[in-house]
Amino acid sequence: MSGSRLMRAIRVSEFGGPTVLRLCSDVPVPVPGPRQVLIQVRACGVNPVETYIRSGSHGRKPTLPYTPGTDVAGVVEAVGEGVTAVKAGDRVFTTSTVSGGYAEFTVAAEDSVHWLPDALDFPQGSAIGIPYFTAYRALVHRARAKAGETVLIHGASGGVGVAACQLSRALGLRVLGTAGTPEGMKLALSNGAHLIFNHREEGYTDKIMEATGGAGVDIIVEMLSNVNLSKDLQMMANGGRVTVVGSRGSIEINPRDTMAKESCIMGVALFCATQEEKKECAALLYAGMEAGWLRPIVGSHYPLEKAAQAHHDIIESPGAAGKIVLTI
């Protein structure tokens, strides 16, 4: 591969608001090194964590300038030395990238590249990575969910929320969900939630407790901990677990709420997953694709040049309805 080919890509040269996402058309196409894969990107998922990293508020700060994006779907253009899992022309999706996914081409490590079944299109392929691997890590590796338990997906209509609904249902859990709009509520119900509640309604937590016969929920997958964590602790069953998937600030809680139910608050971070854990997760997700229950729901499509708008909307929109993706 000649390094002189140029491509369009989003570049971030300073941390800040969505406007720091700049489209450049003279970025060199990356060259795959040993055990790396060059992918022609057809779609790239947009995840909330990318907005935190871009703003400079996240614990991990990439070296500037950089291209955001971990979850791409596309076609293998070329492979580096020693790559055996995929070949040029294969349809694939990724769970991380080396050079950044908001671009026409990206390089990813071979062990982050997965074959994309024909039943899923490229936007759906770009909606698998962070959402489904996070949902699996929260439910299985952290909360150790067991069939028959009750789970509350607190924010069930976004990328991780829909993934958590589908996965929870497949694992044999009783699935309660919340959303902030009628569209989001409908989406969660059609993707595995047994019951759905509007988290913008006064007293919705009382309705959740009623639905559990007052016993509370065993597991909460929490997307907005800085708003909900205190309420979550009051909805726990004995031995309940809150998995913190997302938070946009701080919150005051009463630790006594954890004592009565011996409940647990646990963080979820995909970058802590071991190679074995990633393999286990990928195996279950492939089974889900074969069985048909894993079907990513794509909400809004944005062209690459509208990446800044996508970053604004994922944080500011009144309610999520499926996954936000860039199409390239």
Side-chain angles (χ1 to χ4, degrees), residues 233 236 239-243 258 262-266:
L233 294 176
M236 295 266 82
R241 294 85 82 197
V242 181
T243 61
T258 66
E262 290 196 322
S263 59
C264 226
I265 302 167
M266 42 183 69

Side-chain angles (χ1 to χ4, degrees), residues 48-209:
V49 68
E50 288 140 29
T51 72
Y52 311 150
I53 294 169
R54 181 215 72 227
S55 72
S57 66
H58 195 267
R60 288 175 301 151
K61 285 192 177 69
T63 306
L64 297 168
Y66 77 98
T67 294
T70 57
D71 299 355
V72 309
V75 177
V76 174
E77 176 89 355
V79 297
E81 193 188 325
V83 171
T84 55
V86 293
K87 62 185 188 308
D90 285 354
R91 299 169 81 250
V92 293
F93 70 94
T94 65
T95 50
S96 70
T97 66
V98 174
S99 60
Y102 295 13
E104 291 179 320
F105 292 90
T106 192
V107 161
E110 180 184 25
D111 60 14
S112 303
V113 179
H114 304 269
W115 178 72
L116 181 64
D118 290 339
L120 300 180
D121 63 21
F122 291 118
Q124 285 179 304
S126 75
I128 297 170
I130 283 182
Y132 284 86
F133 280 73
T134 298
Y136 188 88
R137 184 155 191 80
L139 288 162
V140 178
H141 289 147
R142 302 297 288 130
R144 305 199 182 282
K146 294 187 183 69
E149 288 191 310
T150 298
V151 63
L152 171 65
I153 314 295
H154 217 158
S157 61
V160 178
V162 168
C165 284
Q166 293 176 358
L167 179 58
S168 296
R169 190 67 178 252
L171 293 171
L173 302 174
R174 182 172 183 235
V175 188
L176 315 183
T178 77
T181 64
E183 186 190 5
M185 291 170 75
K186 202 167 140 192
L187 188 67
L189 277 176
S190 59
N191 282 283
H194 291 95
L195 296 171
I196 190 76
F197 304 87
N198 187 333
H199 53 224
R200 294 188 190 282
E201 257 177 36
E202 200 63 44
Y204 79 95
T205 56
D206 298 332
K207 290 182 179 171
I208 291 171
M209 287 304 288

